[in-house]
Amino acid sequence: MTSALTAAALQAVDSLDAKGFAEHFAPDGKITFGNIPTLEGRNAVEAGCAGFFGTIDGMHHDIVNEWVVGKDTIVELVVTYTRKDGRKVPIPVVSIWTIADSGLIDEYRVFFDLTPVFA
């Protein structure tokens, strides 16, 4: 069963709603996509996601597995990206995040290789 936070956060991302996704973060929360420098603060998370969303026409997350252990969540996914040329490209992804005492995301890490999306 998918946790409520996982469902809500991925719904925002699949809707390409950078602001809605960023609202799941603590004000000083941070996100790291692969080897790209970490985005720190809710505003940076929103701006970074909005910039990325502008490079694609859509995406859809299919959850393979989810593990919630204390304040940590690990999600194994297949994310299907819709490129600007309309081609759909599925890639494997693992996301890991930690929840702050506020119940919001404190730190979010995404492990993936986007090369096939932009090839």
Side-chain angles (χ1 to χ4, degrees):
M1 182 172 176
T2 304
S3 69
L5 178 57
T6 298
L10 296 181
Q11 170 60 38
V13 172
D14 285 347
S15 299
L16 304 182
D17 179 2
K19 181 173 178 51
F21 179 62
E23 288 173 355
H24 294 288
F25 282 75
D28 61 347
K30 53 190 169 190
I31 190 168
T32 305
F33 293 100
N35 62 352
I36 297 171
T38 299
L39 302 171
E40 297 188 33
R42 188 181 288 155
N43 291 336
V45 171
E46 180 180 348
C49 289
F52 174 69
F53 294 164
T55 68
I56 58 174
D57 273 354
M59 70 173 90
H60 178 75
H61 290 72
D62 288 307
I63 297 171
V64 176
N65 284 300
E66 178 184 32
W67 300 270
V68 178
V69 181
K71 293 184 177 188
D72 299 316
T73 299
I74 304 165
V75 184
E76 176 188 4
L77 310 129
V78 173
V79 181
T80 302
Y81 292 89
T82 304
R83 296 166 24 131
K84 290 290 189 181
D85 65 5
R87 194 172 116 214
K88 295 184 183 296
V89 180
I91 63 167
V93 177
V94 172
S95 294
I96 302 170
W97 60 83
T98 302
I99 302 300
D101 290 337
S102 64
L104 298 170
I105 297 169
D106 182 49
E107 186 174 357
Y108 193 113
R109 295 170 307 281
V110 183
F111 300 91
F112 58 3
D113 179 4
L114 286 176
T115 304
V117 176
F118 297 103

